[in-house]
Amino acid sequence: MSRQDGSGRLYSPPGADDTGAHILHVDMDAFFVAVEVLDDPSLAGKPVVIAHNDGRSVVSSASYEARRYGVRSAMPLGLALRRCPNAIVVPPTFERYRETSAQVMEVFRSVTPLVEQLSIDEAFLDVAGARRLWGSPGEVAALIRERVKSEVGITCSVGAAATKHVAKMASTASKPNGLLVIPASRTQEFLDPRPAGAMWGIGPKAAEALSARAIRTIRDVRETPVAALARILGSAHAQRIHDLANGRDPRGIQTERTEKSISHEETFRTDVTDPDVLRGEILRLSDKVAVRLRRAGVEASGLAIKLRFDDFQTVTRSQALTEPTNVGQRIAQVARDLLAGVVMRAPVRLIGVRAERLVAQGSAALALWDDDGEWKQVDGALDRLTQRFGTGSVTRAAFLTRDRHLPDAERPPEDSD
């Protein structure tokens, strides 16, 4: 979810110069909220917060009316309601979001096959080859906005530029419900005055570190030697950021995205101190991660766990695996070992398991014998039963009585806008 509230947005008038601006970044406006308004028009124009109303939830998305009170994604719901006491809390309906996302992406693909979906509500498009059918990049961008509104019923913001980085920055600057076109020749003019923290890849901590050294705008980043940036950001990151500040971004559209990681995490109803409960939850999450790995036909060669304590301090631990795996019990074994190395300084609010460094299933060299053979048979049986009876219909017996700490629903992803 964007941190802006819609004030101070930039937009391009019809017929603006779009020379060389063939990369579009299309981002839905407050997507989760917009879908809820489709189903309940009475919510339109009101401060709406998408979250489970259980006192332990975090904000997944907020309307622009709520954002003006300082409500942000990933904010504890209690804090959001203190900032915006008149907010309307709406529980998320993920199946509707997925259905609407599919409709939006179908609109994109009807215009060009070169679509790279970034998340449930945003994508890059390369429209260089669409000129004969649909017109110039600016005309295509306007067409997409019109079709998303008329065919799906929600609004989107579009940035058009010569590179992915600038297109994404342009769409953010045009929110909500806007279109900003940056012709190739004016790339640097657009970039230079903008805050360094607006760059894709510079988070709040990096922006703070740069600001402490009087590097506050993208022009400042561009004029700072890479060696100096490396002392602040690290050598690999510094060169990339310096290139982006100079308008250099050679990345093209990837029509097939390979997931870099697969994760599941849960926020407990009540903070947990019992190590047995944490170990049990590790196993449950590991099973869910393993199912998704197998469905995707990949294995994990690295594993990480995440814990958030009751004071919202978060720690992670990770480990490379000697052999890639998508077996739930094996993932749980490693994750539990990582858990054992964490000092439990406070009660635990959230716990997560993440599979990393994914490789194609079966790509590792075969061993003479398989230590996980029996576990794989169990996983195979679970997969078949789940496919037949549905997700959640089959679970380990150990989980049937271990639910007093667990949330009513799995923690949702955050709306990227």
Side-chain angles (χ1 to χ4, degrees):
M1 183 173 78
S2 169
R3 291 188 176 274
Q4 65 183 45
D5 60 8
S7 58
R9 69 189 182 101
L10 305 175
Y11 59 91
S12 296
D17 181 13
D18 59 3
T19 307
H22 62 98
I23 300 295
L24 308 185
H25 180 259
V26 189
D27 200 355
M28 302 302 107
D29 299 317
F31 178 60
F32 291 178
V33 175
V35 176
E36 297 298 340
V37 171
L38 280 178
D39 295 340
D40 182 1
S42 70
L43 296 173
K46 296 179 180 178
V48 176
V49 172
I50 305 298
H52 288 290
N53 198 357
D54 60 6
R56 301 280 299 173
S57 185
V58 295
V59 174
S60 293
S61 184
S63 67
Y64 287 92
E65 292 78 10
R67 296 181 199 192
R68 296 187 183 112
Y69 290 85
V71 177
R72 301 287 182 252
S73 64
M75 174 182 288
L77 178 60
L79 176 57
L81 292 177
R82 288 195 293 274
R83 291 188 175 183
C84 185
N86 60 332
I88 302 170
V89 180
V90 178
T93 51
F94 301 117
E95 190 56 38
R96 280 286 290 130
Y97 304 154
R98 285 189 286 268
E99 291 173 359
T100 308
S101 173
Q103 289 179 271
V104 170
M105 297 303 157
E106 184 58 33
V107 171
F108 297 166
R109 294 188 178 97
S110 71
V111 173
T112 173
L114 299 179
V115 176
E116 178 182 345
Q117 184 173 351
L118 291 181
S119 66
I120 195 171
D121 65 341
E122 63 176 323
F124 283 116
L125 290 72
D126 188 333
V127 297
R131 180 179 292 272
R132 181 173 297 178
L133 283 175
W134 308 111
S136 69
E139 291 170 331
V140 174
L143 172 66
I144 285 173
R145 293 184 64 238
E146 292 170 4
R147 288 190 55 188
V148 169
K149 179 62 177 176
S150 64
E151 297 176 25
V152 184
I154 61 179
T155 65
C156 62
S157 298
V158 184
T163 68
K164 294 169 79 171
H165 176 241
V166 177
K168 185 172 175 67
M169 288 188 62
S171 71
T172 300
S174 72
K175 279 189 163 294
N177 193 22
L179 165 61
L180 182 59
V181 180
I182 310 298
S185 61
R186 300 186 66 181
T187 295
Q188 209 62 59
E189 179 185 340
F190 169 73
L191 288 174
D192 275 356
R194 304 197 66 74
M199 295 181 67
W200 196 6
I202 294 186
K205 290 185 178 179
E208 184 178 342
L210 290 169
S211 180
R213 293 160 178 81
I215 304 172
R216 298 185 177 90
T217 66
I218 293 180
R219 179 175 181 173
D220 294 335
V221 175
R222 177 169 63 86
E223 294 179 345
T224 301
V226 175
L229 291 175
R231 289 192 289 271
I232 306 169
L233 305 173
S235 56
H237 197 43
Q239 183 62 62
R240 176 174 170 274
I241 292 299
H242 193 262
D243 285 342
L244 294 179
N246 280 275
R248 297 189 293 267
D249 182 7
R251 295 172 299 171
I253 302 299
Q254 297 179 347
T255 56
E256 295 183 4
R257 292 187 68 213
T258 301
E259 289 189 271
K260 296 180 180 179
S261 65
I262 289 176
S263 63
H264 276 280
E265 60 186 39
E266 301 282 7
T267 300
F268 296 114
R269 288 193 192 123
T270 58
D271 298 330
V272 173
T273 57
D274 186 342
D276 288 338
V277 172
L278 296 176
R279 284 170 55 83
E281 184 64 0
I282 284 284
L283 177 57
R284 196 172 75 90
L285 294 173
S286 296
D287 277 343
K288 297 180 78 170
V289 167
V291 167
R292 288 182 57 196
L293 288 170
R294 294 192 294 273
R295 285 177 180 169
V298 295
E299 296 176 321
S301 54
L303 195 73
I305 64 167
K306 170 183 175 182
L307 282 87
R308 180 169 295 151
F309 296 107
D310 63 349
D311 58 1
F312 283 88
Q313 291 295 312
T314 303
V315 299
T316 59
R317 296 290 186 271
S318 60
Q319 178 179 317
L321 304 181
T322 55
E323 295 179 359
T325 187
N326 56 18
V327 176
Q329 192 75 33
R330 177 66 65 193
I331 292 171
Q333 191 175 66
V334 175
R336 284 173 164 180
D337 288 344
L338 291 171
L339 178 67
V342 177
V343 177
M344 294 298 159
R345 45 177 292 278
V348 176
R349 174 187 175 87
L350 173 149
I351 193 167
V353 175
R354 183 174 71 248
E356 303 176 324
R357 297 180 234 170
L358 307 186
V359 298
Q361 182 172 304
S363 59
L366 294 175
L368 293 177
W369 59 86
D370 187 355
D371 292 334
D372 294 345
E374 293 183 358
W375 290 342
K376 288 179 179 178
Q377 291 180 19
V378 172
D379 282 348
L382 288 173
D383 289 346
R384 290 189 294 273
L385 289 169
T386 297
Q387 184 176 11
R388 182 176 180 182
F389 297 108
T391 302
S393 60
V394 183
T395 188
R396 295 178 187 263
F399 299 153
L400 295 178
T401 58
R402 189 179 290 162
D403 64 352
R404 62 189 179 91
H405 292 285
L406 299 182
D408 295 324
E410 184 175 335
R411 183 182 176 191
E414 294 164 13
D415 185 345
S416 69
D417 171 42

